[in-house]
Amino acid sequence: MTKYIFITGGVVSGLGKGIAAASLGLILKSRGFKVVNQKFDPYLNIDPGTMNPYQHGEVFVTDDGAETDLDLGHYERFTDATLSQSSNTTSGRVYLAVLNKEREGGFHGGTVQVIPNITEEILRRMLLSTTETNADIIITEIGGTVGDIESLPFIEAIRQIKYKVGEENCCYIHLTLVPFMHKQQELKTKPTQHSVKELQELGIKPDIIMLRTECPIDDATREKLASFCNVDTNCVIQNLNARSIYEVPLQMEQEGLGKAVCKVLGLKNTTTHLEEWTKMVNRFNSPEKHVTIALVGKYIELQDAYLSVVESLTHGGIHNSAEVTIDWIDAETLKDEAFTAERLAKADGIIVPGGFGDRGVEGMIRAAEYARTHKVPYFGICLGMQIEVIEYARDVLKLAQANSTEMNKDTPHPVIDLMPDQNGVILGGTLRLGKYECSVTPGTLTEKAYGSTTIWERHRHRYEFNNTYRQAFKDAGLIIAGVNPERDLVEICEVPDHPWMVGVQFHPEFKSRPNRAHPLFRDFIAAACAYAAGGNK
């Protein structure tokens, strides 16, 4: 029988439920169980695909093209799973499904209500991963904070599910904040007590209380919370601040989280195998060198907008035994060549990640020009590849007004343009999404990185390299290093006579792992290390 774990949050938002859920997934997987994580978000958007990055942070994309919450990135990176459309559900999706069914006469004229119709749709989706994956354990994170009006149908659904699958097959974990009052030098448990009380009033008795705290929980506090929250003392788990998110699973296992979950669910508490993960953490904590990577973007005020890129740079650093410091640069501030050169002078590598719209684009182009002319390692992702192409067209092909039609619809040289079947399509979910094949040109930096001439990578974009200009670029030396064989779309460009300047139309950051860095991030950081060691600055 599949076991179900539900993780809720209390007191405040942003406590790290996603990291906790991912860590638990790794802990249970290390015991030999097949684990699948999923996220249920209470907002009414169908998915985060149309949401402003400042509102929501990064949009994570799965192989099958789902635009999902960034926590799915944590799940995949920690458990090395490949998640799908069913792994992320929003209130918007639930209500849309129910209302479409009503319009089609699916309720036979009956009244449609939150209970039972909405909760039944939530339950159906919660159980969907079970039938799709045949997992031993499904870990479901409920977005938001207990007490929020919008999350009540989800709370009701996870209350009901124990009657469908059996109470012995359900484990409820409640993550709360235990604030430390510095003036009194005292931990305060009252917020957690009230949050648990509110959850109990909604019909859910948590089996495990997880305490987010900046200082250790003493035995007296642990026993007090166990008594007041009606849980076993061993089921009060502290979740201390860690040096990195990758230490959290090791801390949680040491705290006894895995053992407590196994006891609640009646699972055999087998030996964990976290040796590889531990080696990775030790490697992260003991770097032998240091590199500075300039990240030139347009959403840098909210760094979560580039979460997977940042983590992938870290993974590349771990592989190369290098500490990676990110210099966050707002592309709009790069107003001229002189300031750009001054601002990028300390960079050992430059990365331009994805984005939409024309804001900051000219600054990104200046960054790409600096990287090309100063031989600084450059990695362009999605928009970053398009920037590399535009800069090359302007400076090498001498097409001074070259641009993307996304930035300038009237450009005389649209080196980046819409695909013919994309014209007029601006709705959510209509981007080129998910996993596509790419044929890699032998002898290129990309082929050297992957060690293969056939790769599959995840996409999230609408505009493409304009094939009308392909031959002109090739004649000017630009290396077309990868092409989608199905539609003959350019996927990878490399600049010749440069130590490492690679642009990719896809998003390699979605497939990088802390103990298995993505080949392109691995080699980008290696090139940055070589640049730093060569004293080229």
Side-chain angles (χ1 to χ4, degrees), residues 170-352:
C170 291
C171 174
Y172 299 98
I173 300 175
H174 192 50
L175 174 63
T176 73
L177 175 70
V178 179
F180 181 73
M181 307 302 289
H182 288 272
K183 188 174 182 179
Q184 294 92 343
Q185 291 291 295
E186 183 182 4
L187 287 164
K188 291 295 185 181
T189 64
K190 191 65 71 176
T192 294
Q193 294 175 44
H194 281 296
S195 185
V196 170
K197 179 175 180 288
E198 190 161 16
L199 193 59
Q200 289 173 333
E201 288 174 352
L202 295 172
I204 295 174
K205 175 189 173 297
D207 300 291
I208 296 170
I209 308 294
M210 190 180 292
L211 308 174
R212 191 78 169 83
T213 175
E214 61 180 289
C215 57
I217 304 291
D218 56 43
D219 290 342
T221 302
R222 192 185 299 267
E223 290 170 4
K224 177 181 178 182
L225 278 169
S227 175
F228 281 39
C229 298
N230 198 26
V231 298
D232 189 85
T233 307
N234 293 328
C235 290
V236 178
I237 307 293
Q238 70 175 359
N239 186 349
L240 274 170
N241 292 349
R243 285 179 291 181
S244 79
I245 60 173
Y246 300 120
E247 287 192 19
V248 175
L250 303 179
Q251 288 186 355
M252 294 292 94
E253 175 60 16
Q254 189 174 9
E255 271 289 301
L257 177 61
K259 182 179 179 181
V261 167
C262 288
K263 182 178 180 181
V264 171
L265 293 174
L267 296 169
K268 186 177 180 181
N269 184 30
T270 55
T271 304
T272 58
H273 296 282
L274 290 167
E275 297 86 1
E276 183 183 353
W277 194 269
T278 302
K279 288 179 182 177
M280 178 273 295
V281 171
N282 291 337
R283 194 178 179 95
F284 172 80
N285 289 330
S286 306
E288 298 172 1
K289 43 190 175 286
H290 176 269
V291 291
T292 298
I293 302 298
L295 190 154
V296 182
K298 57 173 65 179
Y299 312 120
I300 63 167
E301 290 89 346
L302 182 64
Q303 296 177 4
D304 271 358
Y306 302 115
L307 181 62
S308 289
V309 171
V310 172
E311 294 305 318
S312 298
L313 290 170
T314 300
H315 305 163
I318 293 170
H319 181 91
N320 289 282
S321 298
E323 179 185 13
V324 177
T325 296
I326 297 177
D327 182 10
W328 296 86
I329 299 177
D330 185 342
E332 286 190 286
T333 65
L334 304 181
K335 299 290 188 182
D336 55 56
E337 289 185 13
F339 181 76
T340 300
E342 178 185 346
R343 189 68 181 81
L344 295 173
K346 295 181 180 179
D348 301 310
I350 298 168
I351 188 166
V352 177

Side-chain angles (χ1 to χ4, degrees), residues 25 35 60 80 99 145 191 217 237 297 302 311 323 326 354 363 387 395 397 429 447 474 535:
V35 182
F60 188 83
D80 200 20
L99 292 175
T145 305
I217 304 291
I237 307 293
L302 182 64
E311 294 305 318
E323 179 185 13
I326 297 177
I387 293 297
D395 200 58
L397 274 67
E447 193 263 342
K474 292 174 73 173

Side-chain angles (χ1 to χ4, degrees), residues 4-5 18-19 33 61 81 128 155 194-195 249 252 263 274 333 361 370 410 419 483 514-515 525:
Y4 298 87
I5 299 171
I19 299 296
F33 298 111
V61 178
L128 190 59
I155 299 298
H194 281 296
S195 185
M252 294 292 94
K263 182 178 180 181
L274 290 167
T333 65
V361 162
Y370 178 88
D410 300 319
M419 293 181 288
V483 175
N515 50 358
I525 296 300

Side-chain angles (χ1 to χ4, degrees), residues 77 80 308-309 311-320 379 381 438 440 445-451 455-458 492 500 502 504 506-526:
R77 285 187 286 272
D80 200 20
S308 289
V309 171
E311 294 305 318
S312 298
L313 290 170
T314 300
H315 305 163
I318 293 170
H319 181 91
N320 289 282
F379 193 8
I381 297 175
C438 177
V440 178
L445 292 170
T446 306
E447 193 263 342
K448 179 183 176 183
Y450 283 94
I455 61 173
W456 293 82
E457 291 285 359
R458 300 177 188 178
I492 309 168
W500 210 92
V502 179
V504 298
F506 46 81
H507 288 269
E509 68 270 25
F510 295 148
K511 294 178 70 174
S512 188
R513 303 289 183 260
N515 50 358
R516 192 179 67 254
H518 188 282
L520 292 175
F521 279 94
R522 178 199 68 207
D523 285 11
F524 172 58
I525 296 300

Side-chain angles (χ1 to χ4, degrees), residues 34-56:
K34 184 178 181 181
V35 182
V36 170
N37 288 74
Q38 57 185 7
K39 175 79 179 283
F40 279 68
D41 271 312
Y43 53 76
L44 287 173
N45 304 69
I46 303 302
D47 58 45
T50 58
M51 294 172 72
N52 190 315
Y54 287 125
Q55 287 256 328
H56 189 78

